[in-house]
Amino acid sequence: NAGVMQNPRHLVRRRGQEARLRCSPMKGHSHVYWYRQLPEEGLKFMVYLQKENIIDESGMPKERFSAEFPKEGPSILRIQQVVRGDSAAYFCASSLFSRGLAADTDTQYFGPGTRLTVL
Amino acid sequence: EDKVVQSPLSLVVHEGDTVTLNCSYEVTNFRSLLWYKQEKKAPTFLFMLTSSGIEKKSGRLSSILDKKELFSILNITATQTGDSAVYLCAVETGGYNKLIFGAGTRLAVHP
């Protein structure tokens, strides 16, 4: 059973360009979470999605950032007009359920991350 | 505001030593506390703790939760160089499993 897949693993963009980060959840998982990790900091929640629905985007900047999880295909985190401060590692996680019951089936499993560098 | 604080931020030990990593939290609507190990890639799941005083063990790693004092510890006995990593503590909160992470403890185990 393949784990959470993310691509690309490394992405370099110039200021003003767009960055597209992709995440394929574990097989059977329909809940996806995106986190950002700045250097020397912990992971910060950005957005939680189910298929075709954004459930909670409270951690995502209001401008330039968007996320989607279509019926078919991977989840996409899109950053428009990137700035140097967007340089970070972006991690995706998936879970089987997300019921807030602290159950093993709700455990989030992480992908290897995409390291975005903005020049 | 929900927060999770880990200490120490970094730790250097020699192989064979025992280490204790700390995690304290202040959150509304606590569901569970999780520990992850992060090497230069994906954080890998270690433990999920929901009940006070019940120790979870996996090999040389163990962890326990105190819901009254709002903290957890992660113990690693007989450390090995392969234990070198950042250890992340996260608290699950809210109506779904939203995770609030601490900044991590960077552990370096020297031969």
Side-chain angles (χ1 to χ4, degrees), chain A residues 23-26 28-32 48-55 68-75:
Chain A
C23 169
S24 296
M26 284 179 72
H29 287 192
S30 58
H31 301 266
V32 166
Y48 160 47
L49 310 105
Q50 294 179 23
K51 286 280 187 182
E52 299 185 279
N53 282 306
I54 297 174
I55 307 302
E68 63 177 14
F69 188 16
K71 188 176 179 181
E72 302 290 337
S75 175

Side-chain angles (χ1 to χ4, degrees), chain B residues 2 8 11 13 17-18 21-22 24-25 28-29 33 38 40 42 76 78-79 83 85 87 104 108-109:
Chain B
D2 294 340
L11 193 53
V13 300
D17 289 349
T18 292
L21 309 184
N22 303 292
S24 63
Y25 61 91
T28 53
N29 203 7
L33 185 144
Q38 185 180 25
K40 291 183 188 245
I76 309 174
T79 51
D83 295 327
Y87 290 84
V109 181

Side-chain angles (χ1 to χ4, degrees), chain A residues 95-112:
Chain A
S95 66
L96 183 61
F97 295 118
S98 186
R99 300 161 296 181
L101 299 178
D104 289 345
T105 49
D106 289 18
T107 300
Q108 291 181 33
Y109 294 92
F110 283 80

Side-chain angles (χ1 to χ4, degrees), chain A residues 38-87:
Chain A
L38 295 169
E40 306 304 320
E41 293 188 18
L43 280 75
K44 295 281 195 292
F45 168 81
M46 297 181 74
V47 61
Y48 160 47
L49 310 105
Q50 294 179 23
K51 286 280 187 182
E52 299 185 279
N53 282 306
I54 297 174
I55 307 302
D56 182 347
E57 55 184 349
S58 60
M60 203 149 70
K62 295 282 186 284
E63 297 178 355
R64 302 188 298 108
F65 285 73
S66 62
E68 63 177 14
F69 188 16
K71 188 176 179 181
E72 302 290 337
S75 175
I76 307 283
L77 178 68
R78 187 164 73 160
I79 312 172
Q80 296 177 299
Q81 299 175 327
V82 296
V83 300
R84 289 223 173 100
D86 297 333
S87 295

Side-chain angles (χ1 to χ4, degrees), chain A residues 26-37:
Chain A
M26 284 179 72
K27 188 176 180 181
H29 287 192
S30 58
H31 301 266
V32 166
Y33 314 78
W34 285 93
Y35 295 84
R36 176 164 65 176
Q37 187 175 36

Side-chain angles (χ1 to χ4, degrees), chain B residues 40-98:
Chain B
K40 291 183 188 245
K41 47 188 171 132
T44 51
F45 173 74
L46 295 175
F47 298 112
M48 174 189 280
L49 303 155
T50 56
S51 302
S52 272
I54 299 175
E55 185 182 50
K56 291 219 172 176
K57 285 179 71 78
S58 176
R60 296 176 293 103
L61 277 65
S62 63
S63 184
I64 197 161
L65 174 67
D66 186 327
K67 288 168 75 173
K68 183 179 176 187
E69 299 297 329
L70 307 183
F71 78 92
S72 173
I73 59 172
L74 175 69
N75 277 321
I76 309 174
T77 58
T79 51
Q80 302 171 357
T81 54
D83 295 327
S84 297
V86 175
Y87 290 84
L88 299 170
C89 171
V91 171
E92 180 185 343
T93 179
Y96 62 91
N97 45 327
K98 177 177 179 177

